[in-house]
Amino acid sequence: MTELAESVPDAASAAVKRLANGFCHAKLLLAAEELGVFTDLHRHGPSTEKELVERLPLHPRGARDFLHGLVLLGLLERRDGRYANSAAATTALVPGGADYIGGFLRRADRKLYPAWQNLAEGLTSGKSEAHGAGPEAFRAMLGDPRQREQYLRMMDSANGLVAGHLAGALDWGAHGHVADIGGCRGNLVGQLLRIHPRLRATVFDLTELEAAFAEHVTALGVADRAGFRAGDFFTDPLPEADVVILGHVLHNWSVEQREFLVAKAYRAVRPGGALLIYDAMLDEEPTDLARVLVSLNMLLITEEGSEYTAGEATAWLEAAGCGDVRVAPLGPADTLVVGRKPTA
């Protein structure tokens, strides 16, 4: 049941007000990440308000309320007048951890938060109301070092949460080569290669990402088994591989473009291999608000994108000639659809 459905009649107004104030909760978190609160407390340990004001770009006027707000959100703890990161903040908001999502938060603050101010307009027009939603604007963004770094960190945050689950979702020992289509700077395949030392990988993405890929896979220690092929997946040939991945890709495009990409990717799978598709796919009935919000993100920041159901992905695979399709959860936020290609 929803929060509103569970509320008693005389509390309905309060419940609606809490929903209306949801943007305040989000901005508390986003501001704390931007100001470096969680990193600072991880480095220095429990600290007083005065100590945090001295170390951070934080004015005394709002500091107490800001810190108390983070306590009430469950992001900080307060004991004996000192603030410390909660367990959740230590896991998700301190750089260096496997579950760190700071890159996503930075991108959300600068890209998604402003876009959501135009939700009513987007729902009326059916078009993105964000500046720079098209392919040309995307490539221009990649040409800006500051914006590119934000984008790369956001993508690392998103696929880093998937990598461990994907590493156990397939019998990788039966395959030698994986190709990640739209794989950005190779964070996902880098994690797979570290877990499966016999595996080799190719990332296919825009040429603007090649240097970032080389630097990242070197830092991960897998550069000897990972290669990059530059191109546009709508117009250029895809690399053949035993396993081909379309992860967090299809939701950026129209239905017709998705059908085209699935068919093209399936042709790139070698006999006996598999095509892996994952996204925050929608259920047939509205059961997961987080996935619905991801789909609305696509409305606001892409020209024709949205989330889709596993049934729709299955249909695209079947139209491409795949007769062996499996659907499974992929961690808490994504769904995996696996289409296998016969050996002959």
Side-chain angles (χ1 to χ4, degrees), residues 4 16 19 29 37 43 70 102 153 170 188 234 272 284 290 299 303 312:
L4 292 182
V16 171
L19 289 178
L29 166 60
V37 172
R43 179 179 299 125
L70 295 173
R153 291 182 181 275
L170 199 70
L188 175 72
F234 286 113
E284 296 293 342
L299 166 69
E303 291 186 319
E312 290 171 312

Side-chain angles (χ1 to χ4, degrees), residues 208-226:
E208 290 89 343
L209 294 167
E210 187 167 4
F213 165 85
E215 180 180 2
H216 195 60
V217 296
T218 298
L220 292 175
V222 296
D224 59 328
R225 291 184 288 132

Side-chain angles (χ1 to χ4, degrees), residues 5 29 145 291 334:
L29 166 60
R291 297 185 185 222
D334 288 285

Side-chain angles (χ1 to χ4, degrees), residues 292-317:
V292 173
L293 297 181
V294 173
S295 194
L296 288 170
N297 282 340
M298 296 301 107
L299 166 69
L300 293 170
I301 66 172
T302 69
E303 291 186 319
E304 298 184 86
S306 70
E307 290 301 333
Y308 50 92
T309 67
E312 290 171 312
T314 298
W316 302 329
L317 277 163

